[in-house]
């Protein structure tokens, strides 16, 4: 098995509307990370000495605001010319100067996407007669963002945001429905997994996929999820349940963790206690979401590719040559980090999950 050649194409940086070649020339390390909970982050390290340093007052580069500065709008593209993709768009939020003993000075730039505004706004307030999609749209408007929502769920009589940032609040609402939160350009998205757009890729071990680790774990699988509460209007208790048929319908074949658990250890139920449902619609939605969350993470794959700019959170993966139980389609990318350094060039790390193991008999 031969490892593919290193993709040594440097990142391309655009500050405001200007292509800044000096940043690409001096970049020694780059990391762009994101997960299903939203907020894409960037950390880029640049040499602060070398070409362009012309005297004592200008001996350190990238600190005078000419190439990049706090508050700068920053875009980054990665990949060879034919396959180059934008992997980050956001605002510079931090600058570091690193002065080492005998090492060249470095400038480290930190940036976040538009969800940074939500992270920095903390509130206590009450909403009435709203859905989770309504909440996302209201928060988006307050931050000057467009909203794109596809997260069906119940209408709540009352929802409270208690000393939470707007980002933490929307992450909590997304968790209740197993929806995903992210931002692209000036649009805030809140969508369930089945409606999130994403690329479809095949990664072959020894070609695109440099290394991988795959785990099937029954520890958090359950045969049934139960959500209880009390409906004050009807004056009766609430008891809603979700079972393995939800996971099986989404998976479409293979051995689910829920069924394997029942065979190995017998049926097992779990009671969701973090929230108290006030009616049957809330309880049913939350039970379904928790059952899907557990079932989807039965198989977890982590991997390293030789730089894959088309890989995004939400990509649907087919993994090949990774062992009979794990081989094939059905993987969903939940976390990734695009990276670049002078030793390895462009590489991409990812985490993906799947609800099933293959039948191997």
């Amino acid at each position: 098995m031969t490892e593919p050649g290193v993709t040594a194409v440097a990142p391309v940086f655009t500050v405001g509307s200007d292509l800044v070649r000096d940043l690409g020339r001096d970049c020694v390390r780059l990391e762009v990370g994101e997960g299903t909970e939203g907020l894409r982050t960037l950390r880029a390290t640049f040499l602060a000495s070398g070409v362009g340093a012309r005297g004592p007052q200008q001996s350190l580069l990238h600190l005078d605001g000419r190439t990049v500065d706090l508050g700068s709008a920053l875009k980054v593209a990665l990949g060879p010319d034919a396959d180059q993709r934008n992997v980050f768009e956001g605002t510079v939020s931090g600058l570091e100067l690193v002065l080492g003993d005998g090492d060249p000075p470095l400038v480290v730039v930190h940036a976040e996407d538009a969800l940074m505004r939500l992270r920095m706004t903390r509130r206590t307030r009450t909403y009435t007669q709203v859905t989770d999609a309504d909440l996302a749209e209201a928060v988006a408007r307050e931050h000057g963002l467009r909203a794109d929502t596809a997260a069906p769920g119940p209408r709540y009589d009352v929802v409270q945001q208690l000393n939470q940032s707007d980002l933490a609040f929307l992450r909590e609402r997304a968790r209740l429905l197993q929806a995903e939160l992210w931002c692209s350009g000036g649009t805030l998205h809140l969508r369930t997994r089945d409606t999130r757009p994403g690329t479809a890729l095949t990664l072959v071990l020894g070609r695109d996929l440099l290394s991988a680790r795959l785990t099937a774990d029954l520890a958090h699988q359950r045969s049934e999820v139960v959500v209880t509460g009390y409906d004050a209007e009807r004056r009766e208790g609430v008891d809603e349940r979700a079972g393995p048929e939800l996971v099986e319908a989404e998976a479409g074949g293979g051995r689910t963790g829920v069924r394997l658990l029942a065979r190995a250890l017998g049926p097992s139920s779990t009671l969701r206690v973090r929230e108290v449902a006030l009616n049957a619609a809330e309880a049913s939605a939350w039970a379904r979401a928790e059952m899907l969350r557990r079932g989807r993470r039965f198989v977890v794959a982590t991997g390293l590719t030789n730089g894959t700019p088309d890989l995004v959170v939400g990509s649907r993966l087919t993994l090949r040559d990774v062992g009979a139980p794990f081989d094939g389609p059905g993987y969903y990318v939940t976390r990734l980090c695009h990276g670049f350094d002078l030793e390895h060039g462009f590489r991409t790390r990812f985490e993906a999950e799947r609800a099933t193991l293959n039948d191997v008999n």
Side-chain angles (χ1 to χ4, degrees):
M1 185 178 295
T2 303
E3 182 175 310
V6 171
T7 304
V9 179
V12 177
F13 294 87
T14 302
V15 181
S17 58
D18 299 324
L19 178 65
V20 182
R21 299 184 185 279
D22 289 355
L23 292 176
R25 177 199 65 201
D26 295 336
C27 182
V28 296
R29 186 175 181 84
L30 172 72
E31 292 181 343
V32 175
E34 184 183 13
T36 54
E37 72 280 3
L39 190 63
R40 188 174 300 187
T41 61
L42 173 145
R43 177 187 171 97
T45 302
F46 305 95
L47 285 173
S49 62
V51 177
R54 297 187 294 274
Q57 294 183 353
Q58 296 179 325
S59 59
L60 294 179
L61 304 175
H62 312 305
L63 289 176
D64 58 4
R66 290 187 301 166
T67 55
V68 67
D69 202 357
L70 290 171
S72 294
L74 182 64
K75 294 182 181 179
V76 181
L78 276 169
D81 291 341
D83 298 314
Q84 193 174 90
R85 300 289 184 272
N86 287 324
V87 298
F88 180 83
E89 180 178 357
T91 303
V92 175
S93 57
L95 293 173
E96 291 182 64
L97 175 62
V98 180
L99 302 172
D101 182 10
D103 296 324
L106 301 172
V107 169
V108 184
V109 173
H110 300 265
E112 298 170 283
D113 70 13
L115 292 182
M116 176 174 63
R117 307 175 202 170
L118 280 65
R119 179 179 63 79
M120 299 177 70
T121 304
R122 183 176 292 271
R123 311 176 198 263
T124 295
R125 58 184 174 181
T126 300
Y127 298 89
T128 58
Q129 293 301 313
V130 291
T131 64
D132 290 303
D134 294 334
L135 294 171
E137 291 165 5
V139 172
R141 284 195 301 270
E142 291 174 339
H143 292 278
L145 300 171
R146 298 179 296 276
D148 169 42
T149 60
R155 180 170 294 274
Y156 304 98
D157 291 336
V158 177
V159 175
Q160 290 186 306
Q161 180 178 352
L162 298 174
N163 192 29
Q164 290 176 295
S165 71
D166 285 348
L167 179 58
F169 177 61
L170 288 187
R171 283 175 168 174
E172 179 183 329
R173 304 315 304 177
R175 176 184 61 82
L176 288 171
L177 300 180
Q178 274 302 284
E180 298 178 3
L181 181 70
W182 77 99
C183 196
S184 59
T187 301
L188 182 150
H189 305 269
L190 180 73
R191 285 179 167 268
T192 50
R193 177 171 297 188
D194 58 309
T195 66
R196 180 170 187 165
T199 54
L201 301 171
T202 297
L203 302 177
V204 181
L205 187 66
R207 190 185 70 187
D208 326 88
L209 189 60
L210 302 181
S211 63
R213 179 171 186 151
L214 301 103
T215 303
D217 190 354
L218 294 175
H220 299 288
Q221 299 300 301
R222 296 294 183 271
S223 306
E224 183 180 58
V225 173
V226 182
V227 176
T228 61
Y230 185 77
D231 189 325
E233 183 175 342
R234 295 177 177 272
R235 297 185 179 181
E236 61 185 19
V238 172
D239 186 313
E240 293 292 328
R241 298 163 185 264
E245 65 277 359
L246 288 172
V247 179
E248 291 168 347
E250 185 178 81
R255 299 180 294 162
T256 64
V258 179
R259 295 300 185 189
L260 289 171
L261 173 73
R263 185 185 308 168
L265 302 173
S268 174
S269 296
T270 185
L271 177 65
R272 185 167 182 168
V273 297
R274 290 182 63 177
E275 300 85 22
V276 177
L278 302 182
N279 56 56
E282 293 179 13
S284 177
W286 297 351
R288 290 170 59 88
E290 178 64 8
M291 191 70 197
L292 287 174
R293 183 190 72 82
R294 290 176 177 271
R296 287 167 173 171
R297 286 193 67 79
F298 171 44
V299 176
V300 175
T302 57
L304 174 69
T305 80
N306 195 44
T308 311
D310 284 331
L311 196 62
V312 297
V313 173
S315 288
R316 278 71 174 175
L317 295 185
T318 298
L319 302 182
R320 294 299 184 195
D321 296 339
V322 293
F326 301 102
D327 208 72
Y331 290 92
Y332 184 91
V333 176
T334 57
R335 190 169 300 278
L336 66 81
C337 179
H338 292 300
F340 170 86
D341 61 42
L342 297 181
E343 180 180 0
H344 299 107
F346 174 29
R347 292 194 171 181
T348 302
R349 292 177 173 82
F350 69 88
E351 179 181 288
E353 60 188 31
R354 190 173 79 167
T356 61
L357 285 176
N358 298 332
D359 292 313
V360 293
N361 294 331

